[in-house]
């Protein structure tokens, strides 16, 4: 996901981690794209703290960016091309309060938040994420429809193995020379049984 975000022009990519997380996976990525690491010292207090850490890190050392895109690192089938849809939707209508993913009527990450709404994110508590603000109905936003694997969030070993199987299959079909971005759309069309929840 970090490479996809960088490939879509989101920079810097701020990766929020727990202070004791293994960061070895970031070593290879950091040499390829602009990555900043932000340690969330109170992550045990819920998702809201990770969001707060990321938003504050985005504004650290300079003016706050026009917007932030909150994404999950374990959504491997989102391509750079798909991720640009969030920015494009917001650039077309910068008065929007958010641009969020959606599948089957359910709000999904990533979610783009403009600077004027950062305060909403900073006031979140516990495990309330950006979706809680969207579901409140008080904000005006736009949705990017996500299908197939695009919204798959790999939270279990079984989901990881299924994703690896799909990845291997698509690599065989397209050849090992293909870049991930060139076959992610094909992988999405090959796995209609995977749905977001």
């Amino acid at each position: 996901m970090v490479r996809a975000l960088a490939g879509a022009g989101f920079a810097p990519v701020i990766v929020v981690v727990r202070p004791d997380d293994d960061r070895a996976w970031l070593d290879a990525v950091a040499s390829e794209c602009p990555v900043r690491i932000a340690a969330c010292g109170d992550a045990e207090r819920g998702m809201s703290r990770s969001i707060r850490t990321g938003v504050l890190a985005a504004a650290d050392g300079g003016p706050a960016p026009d917007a932030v895109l909150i994404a999950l690192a374990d959504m491997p089938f989102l391509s750079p091309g798909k991720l640009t849809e969030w920015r494009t939707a917001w650039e077309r209508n910068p008065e929007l309060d958010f641009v969020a993913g959606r599948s089957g009527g359910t709000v999904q990450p990533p979610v783009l938040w403009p600077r004027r709404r950062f305060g909403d994110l900073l006031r979140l508590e516990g495990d309330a994420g950006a979706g809680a603000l969207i579901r409140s109905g008080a904000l005006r936003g736009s949705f990017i429809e996500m299908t197939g694997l695009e919204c798959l969030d790999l939270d279990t070993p079984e989901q990881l193995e299924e994703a690896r199987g799909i990845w291997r299959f698509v690599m065989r079909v397209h050849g090992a020379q293909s870049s991930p971005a060139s076959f992610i759309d094909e992988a999405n069309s090959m796995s209609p049984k995977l749905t977001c929840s």
Side-chain angles (χ1 to χ4, degrees), residues 4 47 49 156 162 168 173:
M47 183 186 339
R49 299 306 170 143
T156 67
E162 184 171 8
R168 284 189 295 269
V173 170

Side-chain angles (χ1 to χ4, degrees), residues 122-134:
L122 296 174
R123 285 187 291 277
L124 289 170
E125 291 294 335
D127 266 335
L133 294 169
I134 293 167

Side-chain angles (χ1 to χ4, degrees), residues 96-147:
L96 291 172
D97 295 321
F98 67 87
V99 178
R102 180 171 64 188
S103 178
T106 302
V107 175
Q108 301 287 335
V111 181
L112 184 143
W113 288 96
R115 177 177 41 218
R116 72 178 183 287
R117 288 289 179 188
F118 286 0
D120 296 334
L121 296 172
L122 296 174
R123 285 187 291 277
L124 289 170
E125 291 294 335
D127 266 335
L133 294 169
I134 293 167
R135 288 187 292 276
S136 75
L139 303 177
R140 190 173 140 267
S142 178
F143 294 94
I144 305 299
E145 295 299 327
M146 298 169 67
T147 59

